[in-house]
Structure formats: C-alpha cells, structure tokens
Amino acid sequence: MNPATALAAVLVDELARCGLTDVVLAPGSRSTPLALAVHADSRIRLHVRVDERSASFLAVGLARRGGRPVALICTSGTAAVNFHPAVVEAHESGVPLLVLTADRPPELRDTGASQTVDQVKLYGTAVRWFSEVGVPEERPGQVAYWRSLTCRAYQRALGPCDPGPVHLNVAFREPLVPDGDESWCEPLERDGKGPWVRARTAAPATALHLPPTRRGVLVVGDGATGTRRYVAAAGMAGWPVLSEPSGGARYGDHAVSAYHFLLGTPEFAGAHRPDVVVTLGRPSLSKPLLNWIGQAGEHIVVAADMTRWPDPTRSATQVVQTVEIPVAAGDDAWLRSWRRAETAARDAIDGVMDASGLSEPRLARDLAGMLPDGSLLFSGSSMPVRDLDQAMRPRRGLRIMANRGAAGIDGVVSSAMGAALAHPGPSYALMGDLTFLHDQNGLLLGPREPRPDLCLVVVNNDGGGIFSLLPQAALRDPFERIFGTAHGVDLGHVAAATGTPYTFVDEPGGLERAVRGEGVRLVEVRTDRESNAVLHTTMRDTAHAAVLATLS
C-alpha cells in the first residue's frame, strides 16, 4: 500500500471511531487519498460541494446544529485559502470544525510548483490547534502517531470547554490513488471500538453563589448554553429574561422581547438600573442593551472557557463557569414594572407593523410566529436577525441560529443548508438579498448529495438595507453607489438556474402558504429600503412614547 493511501485510511477510520459522522469535501487532486477513504467508509455521511467557501460554511452549519465536529477536506493551494472566512466564524462562535487541508510535500514548496502555497499555520490564531502532519512514510510507529494525532485533533475541536476549529495540514507524495498492494510494515487496522485515546472531561467547576436580590436581570446572547436551567432560576428569583433570538431563551412569562425599545428609552433605563446582570453567550445586537449593562452594580459573565469570555462593554465584574441564582424575598414590583413596559411597547410596535403592509420587521415577526414547533430558523447576520430581535414575540418550540461569531453575511445559504441537514425537523432561513447573492453557490447540489428540507426566505430590497438605518444614509450623493449597492438581479432567474422551486410574495397573507412544502425552495419578498428606514423610526418613536406612559 502506498503511504498516502495508508495515512488516509487510518485517519478516517480513527475519526469515525471518535464519533465523526459528517465530512464535507471540496474536490481536488492532492486530497484524493482522503476523498477515497471517506467515500469508502459507510459510517460517514459525505457531502460534496464544488465551491470551497460554500463547502466550508456548510460544515459550519452542520457542526453548529449537530454540536460535534465535522471534517472539512480540500486540495492544496487557494482551495485552502477559501476556507478562511468559515474558519474565522467557527473560531469566533465556538463551532467544532476539523479542517483537513491536503498539501504538496516539502520538496515542492517554494519552487513555483502548481497549486502550492504556504499552508503552515494558514489560519493563524483562528484555530484552537494546528499540526503539520508530515509526509507519511512506511516505517513502524506511523500508525500510532496517526491515530493519536487524530484523537487529539478531534477532542480539541470538540472542547468541551472551548470548542472550535482545528487545522491539520496533510502533505501527500504521489502516488495518490491505491496501487493494489495491501501490504504494510505494521497493522493498519485495529481491534476494538472507540478512539485510540480517550480524553476525560474535567470535573465541573464550583458555582458562584450570588446574594439574593429581586433587582436582577438575565441577559442571553448568541451561543448560550445551559439556558433552560438559568431561565428557570431567573423565574424563581423574579428576574426578567432578555434574550436575543439565537440565545434560545425568549420564552415563558419572564421573557421581555421588546427590551431594545425599553432600554432605548433613557427614562426607563435610568429607573431600572439592576443590582446584578448575569449574561450567557454573546449579546451583540442591541446598542441600548449593551450600554445599559454597563450601569449594573454587578455584571457576571458566565463562560465555559476561562481564557476567552465575551465582554464587549468591558463591564464584567466577575467571570465564572457557572452561577447559582437564589430565590429572594420581597414583592415583585421590579418584574411587574418590566412586564408593564413590555406589554406597552409590544402593543405599540405590533400596531405599527400591522399597519405597514409586508414590511421587513413584520415579515420577521410573522415568520417566527407561524413556523411549526420543532422547526429550525437560520437567520442572516445583518438586518434579519435585528428584525427578529426587535419584532419577534416570545414563543417556545423554535430553534433560531445565526452566524454571529464574526457576524458576516458570507456563507449563510450554505450554513443554513448544513444546519438543516443536521436538524431532525423542518428548517427555514431568513436573509437579505445581498446575503443570498453572496452565497448563491450554496444552491449548487449534485444529484447524489443529501438534500435538506429547507425554505429560504429572501428579503429583496435591492441592496444593503442596513445602511439606510446608519449615519451613512445622510451622505446622499455617494450613498447609493457605495452603500446602497443596488444590483437589479432577478432572484427568480437565480432559482431557475439551479432548479430551485421559487415563490414570490407581495402581501402579508401570502407568506404562510408560500413557505409550505418540502425540500430546498426559495421564497422572495420584495421591500423598499427607504420605507423600511421610516418604519423603524416610527416603531422606535411609538414604542418610546408607550414606555414613557408606563412610568407616569
């Protein structure tokens, strides 16, 4: 057996023993040994994508929803470079990813050889661990090295305290295809089940016990874990729960869904300075919320990894791995005040949206409200997730995810595809037109590829709608060209090019019917950027007036 085939067979076998179930492959020549080994292993589900960037974000979606490492394979050269945005997203959001980049052997590097770039530590500090595997050789001891290295890479990606991407650079000399000779200097196969090396999880950390207080708030951002326990504890303590859509805690009697408007009202924010704020995950969507957190007497950040914790406001007073929220004596005036303002703001913005026709905030609200229990909703990271944050009512039974680690618009179609492939129920995605067009190659699915049940809802305002809500909108002369970026693309034609079923919606009542169906499908909703900016201003002003009325 040639060394390239031997290494690939051992590496893939050990990954499957560790628990790997999905591999995403961007085809190429130098990665042939790995591709053949994965294709031959019935324990692994293979996904093939011709676009490396689409492939890498598909892997991010699979790993984000599945909660365990997904392997990502490519050939040498710029193919590996095209993985970089997805690796950065996985790094920032703690998604377990195993990046296996095939490479040329050392004697071909720095010689002008085709498809040869410097891949050593290609992703810099955006990976949890890097290893140059080394060119395989037929000599005793290689199998133990390969299996041990594979286990370490898998476990480091998995965490458990700090999951994220791991990069193995695998150099292969030719021949790259099996040569028919099965002999090797030591056994390549092994008996038994399970991984070569078993990593043991450290004992749970001692919890921080907070002193009892009624004036506390639980804030839940993207990527939060253990939310059910904390939401239940906050409920017992009489605390309001302020959860971003992808935080997974916007449900129950204590959920305050209009916090963006409440805390954007200075009089309310000033009258509701908390004794303590406990944050889970990475809150990042609402500037009023982030400004208000800094006013807390105590700000407890809960983070599994004590070397990396989210604190964009630099207001954390303590960082802990776990915290106990005690029940406090006293009346519920604090919670009632939040609920009263929540009801007033909610009614105000719902009234504005109901009178707005098919607006972007209404689309986000109505879509999140109508999806069946057990659904997944994958959101774009620009306006859609902010519209969900400001407009979505509390509800149970809906899993919301987004690429909020680096919060870029790239790879959302592919990430949604991956998440849908890992989700056991129906899946949906909400994104803007630029986000969709940026990753339209995510619709390229070969006839033999696993196909998810995913409805892509695309808000088409012919450009970058979020900029109309930013100070750049005042720059009237250059605005449209360098920020608005109108494209004029017919999304129906894009769908037709890939054979994707397409529906156009132009009135609110048509949305629920349009999203029905099975398989991959596209729903387009046309909106206007300037009207959307006016609507957001009206929602803010109406909500602020309603909140002020609760304080009188």
Side-chain angles (χ1 to χ4, degrees), residues 232-243:
M236 295 293 292
W239 292 10
V241 177
L242 283 51
S243 176

Side-chain angles (χ1 to χ4, degrees), residues 28 121 165 199 205 225 230 259 287 291 349 360 385 443 449 488 521:
K121 297 189 175 181
T225 58
Y230 284 105
Y259 63 82
K287 286 186 178 179
N291 291 337
I349 61 176
E360 295 178 25
V385 74
L443 295 178
E449 296 309 305
R521 55 208 189 276

Side-chain angles (χ1 to χ4, degrees), residues 12-13 15-16 20-23 37-38 41-46:
V12 171
D13 175 64
L15 284 176
L20 187 85
T21 59
D22 287 89
V23 172
V38 170
D41 198 315
S42 61
R43 296 168 292 181
I44 293 175
R45 183 171 62 161
L46 176 62

Side-chain angles (χ1 to χ4, degrees), residues 24 53 61 243 251 288-289 339 371 389 431 477 508 537:
V24 180
R53 188 173 66 183
S243 176
Y251 63 87
L289 172 63
R339 282 176 168 170
L371 298 183
D389 189 44
M431 67 191 72
D477 183 43
T537 299

